[in-house]
Amino acid sequence: MIVAFSVAPSGGESDSVSEAVAAAVRVVRESGLPHETSSMFTSLEGEWDEVMDVVKRATEAAGRYGSRVSLVLKADIRPGWTGQMDAKVARVEEHLSSWQD
């Protein structure tokens, strides 16, 4: 399964959420699961229980920076498939390489 998620605390002392996001991303990186962070989401890949555990712990880490946390989550649940974070992008790039400008 691939999960793309975003966490943002509110009700804290700072208007910036970058420190809280860094705490959440640290949890993801320490998980050992394949992951990628962009400006809007962090994606990770693994089995349901391990991925959801990481999302929970990342949300809790961000939650230490405010009185509430907003969580946005999108999941691609495809049992039996692994390595799809890179493979899905590769398939799109393959199609793009065959297009002519």
Side-chain angles (χ1 to χ4, degrees):
M1 110 183 270
I2 300 171
V3 165
F5 75 102
S6 166
V7 293
S10 60
E13 296 179 12
S14 174
D15 288 338
S16 174
V17 298
S18 60
E19 191 174 356
V21 170
V25 171
R26 186 174 298 114
V27 170
V28 173
R29 290 184 177 178
E30 290 173 354
S31 75
L33 295 176
H35 63 274
E36 180 179 280
T37 299
S38 69
S39 61
M40 296 291 293
F41 286 93
T42 295
S43 298
L44 67 155
E45 184 173 14
E47 296 300 320
W48 178 279
D49 289 340
E50 60 188 358
V51 167
M52 296 311 258
D53 177 63
V54 173
V55 170
K56 178 182 178 186
R57 290 186 291 117
T59 302
E60 291 169 346
R64 291 193 287 273
Y65 294 85
S67 59
R68 66 192 308 176
V69 179
S70 170
L71 169 66
V72 176
L73 185 141
K74 181 177 182 179
D76 180 1
I77 303 165
R78 197 171 186 189
W81 291 73
T82 61
Q84 293 303 296
M85 271 182 37
D86 294 328
K88 289 174 79 168
V89 174
R91 288 191 295 271
V92 170
E93 291 295 337
E94 184 178 323
H95 288 291
L96 289 170
S97 70
S98 67
W99 287 11
Q100 294 187 11
D101 294 330

